[in-house]
Amino acid sequence: MKIQGTYTFEAPRERVWRALLDPEVLARTLPGCEKLERTSESSFRGALTVQVGPVKGQFQGTLDLSDLVPLEGYRMKLSGSGSAGFMNGEGTLAISGEGATTTLTYDIEAQVGGRIAGVGQRLVESSAKVVTKQGLEGLGRELAAMTEAEATGAPVVPPEAPSQAAMAAKLAAGVAADLIPPAKRRWLVGGLIVGLALLVLFLVRACG
C-alpha cells in the first residue's frame, strides 16, 4: 500500500523541521496517538489506536529515523502490532521551500495484516489517506500556533485537539467521500432523504 503526496504549511522550513522531530507535537497531531516517547536521538516508541471500518485496536510500535539531513528530510521505518493485527511501513519525508512557506513531500510503502487487513484493501487505503490528511492538518494548526506566539511574544498554546468522536466522524466522512464516486453521492443523499420522508410519514400515520 502506497501513502504518498504533498502538503504545504504556512511556516518556515526550520519550524517545520523541528516539529517533525518533536514527539510531543507529533503525539498531539497524529490521530489516535496515545503516547510517543523518544528512546534515542533517532528512535521513538509509542501507542496508537487505529480503526478501519468495524475493526479497532491498539498498536504498540516503534519509529526509527535514518539518513537525516537537517532542513531537508529523513528516512523512516515504522513497526507496530496489536490485537487487531500488524502494520509496518518504510519511506521518506522531504521538505522544501523558502520564506514563510514549506512543502512536505511524503512517500511511504506500508503493509498491514491480521483482522485489520480483512476489511479489504480499498477501505484500508482510504482510511490511511484520511488519517494522513487529518495528521497533516493537525500539524498545520500546531505550526500556526507557534507562528502566532512568535509574533506576539506570548507562550505557545497548543490548539485543542478534536475529540475522539469528532475525529471518528471526520474519518467516516472522509472514507465515504473517497470510496463513493461523486456521481453516486447525489443518488445516495437523495435516497436517504426519501427514506427519511417515508419514515416520518409512517410515524405520522401510526400516531394518527
Side-chain angles (χ1 to χ4, degrees):
M1 175 177 66
K2 273 280 189 181
I3 305 172
Q4 55 187 175
T6 61
Y7 194 89
T8 299
F9 299 104
E10 296 301 322
R13 194 192 297 195
E14 294 82 0
R15 187 168 297 145
V16 175
W17 176 253
R18 290 197 304 270
L20 290 173
L21 295 174
D22 189 330
E24 292 185 4
V25 171
L26 296 177
R28 288 196 298 267
T29 58
L30 183 62
C33 186
E34 299 179 4
K35 68 175 181 178
L36 184 65
E37 56 188 17
R38 188 186 299 274
T39 56
S40 74
E41 284 298 315
S42 59
S43 298
F44 304 84
R45 179 177 60 225
L48 182 71
T49 297
V50 176
Q51 180 165 358
V52 179
V55 179
K56 181 178 181 180
Q58 187 188 72
F59 290 78
Q60 303 283 340
T62 58
L63 173 64
D64 298 304
L65 310 181
S66 61
D67 301 334
L68 281 84
V69 180
L71 304 182
E72 292 188 18
Y74 52 70
R75 186 166 191 83
M76 59 184 291
K77 184 175 183 179
L78 170 70
S79 178
S81 62
S83 59
F86 70 86
M87 56 181 181
N88 299 315
E90 189 168 358
T92 58
L93 294 183
I95 58 175
S96 61
E98 299 294 337
T101 301
T102 302
T103 297
L104 169 68
T105 301
Y106 52 96
D107 187 352
I108 302 169
E109 184 77 34
Q111 303 85 36
V112 297
R115 290 194 299 119
I116 201 166
V119 300
Q121 183 175 352
R122 284 195 65 198
L123 183 54
V124 171
E125 290 180 349
S126 182
S127 298
K129 287 196 298 183
V130 174
V131 168
T132 299
K133 182 181 178 182
Q134 289 182 347
L136 293 172
E137 290 173 346
L139 181 56
R141 290 191 292 270
E142 287 274 342
L143 292 168
M146 295 175 192
T147 299
E148 182 178 357
E150 182 181 62
T152 61
V156 177
V157 179
E160 184 177 352
S163 66
Q164 291 293 327
M167 290 172 58
K170 192 172 182 179
L171 173 62
V175 170
D178 185 59
L179 293 178
I180 301 173
K184 293 185 178 181
R185 290 175 200 163
R186 293 191 299 271
W187 292 103
L188 179 60
V189 173
L192 290 174
I193 293 174
V194 171
L196 181 59
L198 291 174
L199 177 60
V200 171
L201 179 61
F202 172 80
L203 291 175
V204 170
R205 288 183 175 179
C207 292

